[in-house]
Structure formats: C-alpha cells, structure tokens
Amino acid sequence: MTKTTDQEIAEIKLALEGLEDPHPDYMPPELKELLTRVLVAHAHMENALETRILLQLKNDVPNLDDETRHAIAYSIRPVLESLPYRSKLEIVQNYRDGVPKSSLSKVNRYRVEFAHPRGMELRNKYNAATPEGTQNIRNVYRCLLQAYQEMDNYFIKIDGVPKMREKQL
C-alpha cells in the first residue's frame, strides 16, 4: 500500500516528536508556539527593514521609471537578504527618521535566544507553571506586539502606508 504525502508527513512528525521528548533541549508545545511567534515576528521585521531600504532608494532617485526601479530592486534584494538583521537595522537607523530601534533590537535578541536554546535554561525562564515564567512569556508577547505596532506607525509616518497589519481578533 502506498502512503499519501499527508500520511508520510504525519509519520515523520510523530517520529520527530519521539526523538525530541528525551532530548535535553526539548521544548514543550507552549514554548514551541512562543518560538514560532518570535521567529515569524522577526521575519516580518527583517522584511520591513529591507522594504525600508528599498524605499530609501526610491526616494533618493525619484525620477526613475517603474521598470528601471523594479530592475534595481530585483538586483539589490539578494544583497539585502544576505545582510545580517543588525546591519539592516543600522542602515535604516542611519536614515534618522524614527525607526523603532529598541523594539526591533529586542525582537532580534528574542530570536537569538529562542533559536539557540541551552538545555533547561529556556524552559526554566519561560515556564508557564511559574509566576516568573508567565511574566517572561507575557513580556515576549508584549514586545512582539509593540514592535508590530511601532513598525506600522513608522511606515505610516515615512510612506503613508502601514507595513505591518494587526489581525482583527
């Protein structure tokens, strides 16, 4: 009997869960959810920084036709994508137009912390069963929300259009 792709994915996920459980860096499901949110927010912020750099190019050379501007953006994007997050933030910070550096730096610190967990450290710090862990979890969520909101306001200020969108609850 031939397995479907969905069946194979389900089997692989189950096997991975079995391998993760005894591992010293195992993350419980609620910590994995927090990790996912941090990584997604970081990716959004990084994309927003790249967009801001491209907007600056558009502003610096306003008389280019659309075809030329798109060709330049297409050529520059791989270079931007290869730059580290902190470099992109430094570039945008040099525009001196109010990029929310503090929030973006915090998102990056959380991304580093969650992407490189060390043993029990992450689980202990973000343990939902403890008051301190719950506060730490809340602080991460607050930081992510603040970064999204500040980036929206930043893009409204510089371009008149929000880059980030809050999901309506």
Side-chain angles (χ1 to χ4, degrees):
M1 181 170 155
T2 307
K3 293 182 204 174
T4 67
T5 303
D6 290 339
Q7 289 171 328
E8 186 177 357
I9 290 171
E11 287 177 11
I12 292 170
K13 285 171 63 175
L14 190 59
L16 288 171
E17 286 174 15
L19 293 170
E20 291 171 356
D21 278 350
H23 194 275
D25 291 330
Y26 170 73
M27 287 188 195
E30 60 275 3
L31 200 51
K32 285 181 183 179
E33 178 186 347
L34 188 58
L35 164 71
T36 299
R37 290 201 184 259
V38 167
L39 294 178
V40 168
H42 186 273
H44 278 285
M45 300 305 148
E46 189 162 21
N47 181 266
L49 291 169
E50 292 169 4
T51 299
R52 175 62 186 100
I53 293 167
L54 291 172
L55 277 173
Q56 187 65 34
L57 179 66
K58 175 183 166 188
N59 294 338
D60 287 348
V61 190
N63 297 326
L64 290 177
D65 60 82
D66 284 346
E67 186 177 332
T68 303
R69 188 175 9 263
H70 289 298
I72 291 170
Y74 181 78
S75 299
I76 290 175
R77 182 140 319 259
V79 174
L80 286 177
E81 290 172 352
S82 71
L83 292 174
Y85 181 94
R86 292 182 59 80
S87 296
K88 294 170 194 175
L89 182 54
E90 288 173 12
I91 290 168
V92 174
Q93 186 181 2
N94 283 320
Y95 300 150
R96 300 187 194 291
D97 58 4
V99 68
K101 181 184 179 214
S102 176
S103 291
L104 295 177
S105 293
K106 284 181 188 175
V107 169
N108 193 49
R109 282 195 302 274
Y110 282 128
R111 200 269 318 154
V112 170
E113 179 180 25
F114 278 85
H116 305 283
R118 285 179 255 155
M120 296 290 289
E121 207 172 289
L122 199 63
R123 281 178 286 171
N124 290 338
K125 184 174 181 180
Y126 298 100
N127 183 348
T130 67
E132 183 182 347
T134 302
Q135 287 177 351
N136 290 334
I137 291 168
R138 180 202 57 204
N139 291 342
V140 172
Y141 282 125
R142 279 182 175 174
C143 171
L144 300 180
L145 179 60
Q146 181 177 346
Y148 275 110
Q149 291 170 337
E150 287 180 1
M151 282 304 279
D152 246 356
N153 291 335
Y154 173 68
F155 270 90
I156 288 169
K157 182 179 105 179
I158 63 159
D159 197 44
V161 179
K163 171 72 176 129
M164 306 292 163
R165 291 273 177 209
E166 270 188 297
K167 202 179 205 181
Q168 294 300 318
L169 299 176

